[in-house]
Amino acid sequence: MNGTIIRNELMIVNMGPHHPSMHGVLRLMITLDGEDVVDCEPILGYLHRGMEKIAENRTIIQYLPYVTRWDYLATMFTEAITVNAPEQLGNIQVPKRASYIRVIMLELSRIASHLLWLGPFMADIGAQTPFFYIFRERELVYDLFEAATGMRMMHNFFRIGGVAADLPYGWIDKCVDFCNYFLTGISEYQKLITRNPIFLERVEGVGILSGEEALNWGLSGPMLRASGIEWDLRKVDHYECYDELDWEVQEKAVNEARERKRQRCLPNQAIDGRPGGGVCLSAAPVENLSRKEKVSHDSRERGRWPWAYLGCVQAQNRPSCIGPN
């Protein structure tokens, strides 16, 4: 019987491009020396939709449903940056209540997004159970989104000058219930993940990045804070009402896989601190849709919906109704 032939040359393996349902559209050209990865070349650019060009001939109401699809796991953030830019350019003051509602939605979206990072991350290192746990919490967050916006994903909730609508009756109580439940559930995650010896063995001392390396690579968010750099966009950019909340930036001295996992934290004081008042500037253009039944006989034809949405655009305190052509 012939013995095993040992080859010393390197092997180049193509990984991806992955489907978005996995870890995003990413292709990796990996060079292997046996089982060791000695080089990795990431290749990007597989998901370009030309959103900037689309925006050139759309109104803000028409364009917002597009931006919610940029990051379908954290759609509130893409809406926020889209409305924050013209608000800053036009010096538009957002009502305080609307700003607090935005922060509540952003932090809920942050929870949902980070949970879907945590689950697949644990699955990648061999733990399947947390993947099911995180969907349990995400469904509760999506229930809150659906109650407030009508959509579990792709919410189309932010507007220039505020938000599309105030929170429905009883929504805050449900949100507080979720926060209380989720805070108690963190101890479950601590036992299942953070204190798991198998998890610790696979992430401690892995992928260490110093603060200087993190800055040179242009890292941000949890990656940067885990390197000991006290930097959080919510503190640096001073957007929305984050400056009015009492919270600290979470940073660690050593950036390893374990510390990057710990950086997924959030403040949720906006629930208790929300003020009264309106949720959108009265002087800002708003689209108020009301449903009215058509009176024409042809609307009753098979396949035709007998209801039409009539929008009123308020401009300079003079509403002008816009209906179907």
Side-chain angles (χ1 to χ4, degrees), residues 48-88:
H48 180 67
R49 302 177 180 177
M51 288 293 184
E52 297 86 354
K53 191 65 178 179
I54 293 175
E56 294 178 3
N57 57 358
R58 297 291 190 277
T59 66
I60 186 63
I61 297 296
Q62 294 172 328
Y63 187 55
L64 278 171
Y66 282 94
V67 306
T68 61
R69 287 153 175 82
W70 287 350
D71 183 356
Y72 45 84
L73 300 180
T75 58
M76 293 293 184
F77 289 94
T78 55
E79 294 183 27
I81 62 174
T82 304
V83 300
N84 286 161
E87 286 171 354
Q88 294 182 13

Side-chain angles (χ1 to χ4, degrees), residues 163-305:
V163 293
D166 202 348
L167 299 175
Y169 178 79
W171 190 92
I172 287 295
D173 294 334
K174 294 295 184 182
C175 188
V176 172
D177 290 342
F178 165 76
C179 291
N180 294 334
Y181 159 77
F182 187 69
L183 288 175
T184 58
I186 291 180
S187 60
E188 188 176 43
Y189 284 94
Q190 294 281 351
K191 296 176 183 178
L192 184 65
I193 301 174
T194 310
R195 300 169 188 166
N196 189 314
I198 299 177
F199 168 77
L200 294 176
E201 184 179 352
R202 293 181 177 179
V203 297
E204 280 187 313
V206 175
I208 297 177
L209 287 174
S210 65
E212 182 180 359
E213 289 175 316
L215 292 173
N216 290 338
W217 281 103
L219 303 182
S220 62
M223 294 288 292
L224 187 59
R225 292 192 292 273
S227 296
I229 306 297
E230 188 177 345
W231 189 95
D232 193 303
L233 188 62
R234 292 166 287 184
K235 292 283 191 182
V236 175
D237 197 52
H238 307 288
Y239 68 96
E240 300 303 344
C241 58
Y242 281 106
D243 287 343
E244 302 176 17
L245 306 179
D246 183 17
W247 61 285
E248 300 294 334
V249 177
Q250 304 290 323
E251 84 281 351
K252 290 290 181 180
V254 179
N255 189 342
E256 58 183 14
R258 178 185 59 169
E259 296 303 336
R260 290 194 287 272
K261 178 260 178 189
R262 286 179 175 174
Q263 289 299 316
R264 264 68 175 162
C265 302
L266 60 118
N268 55 19
Q269 303 170 53
I271 296 174
D272 296 326
R274 71 195 186 285
V279 296
C280 194
L281 290 178
S282 59
V286 297
E287 190 174 42
N288 181 19
L289 297 178
S290 59
R291 190 180 68 165
K292 295 184 178 180
E293 188 172 7
K294 295 180 181 179
V295 296
S296 58
H297 297 288
D298 58 352
S299 64
R300 297 292 183 175
E301 296 177 2
R302 183 176 181 179
R304 299 290 299 275
W305 187 246

Side-chain angles (χ1 to χ4, degrees), residues 111-186:
I111 294 175
S113 175
H114 288 348
L115 282 174
L116 200 56
W117 161 83
L118 178 62
F121 171 66
M122 296 303 300
D124 287 343
I125 64 173
Q128 293 294 331
T129 302
F131 189 82
F132 300 101
Y133 277 48
I134 63 105
F135 276 99
R136 178 187 61 188
E137 275 73 52
R138 276 175 57 86
E139 285 301 304
L140 298 177
V141 176
Y142 280 6
D143 288 342
L144 291 171
F145 284 155
E146 184 178 13
T149 70
M151 298 287 287
R152 299 180 74 82
M153 298 178 67
M154 324 303 180
H155 311 291
N156 191 21
F157 187 63
F158 283 38
R159 294 290 186 271
I160 295 180
V163 293
D166 202 348
L167 299 175
Y169 178 79
W171 190 92
I172 287 295
D173 294 334
K174 294 295 184 182
C175 188
V176 172
D177 290 342
F178 165 76
C179 291
N180 294 334
Y181 159 77
F182 187 69
L183 288 175
T184 58
I186 291 180

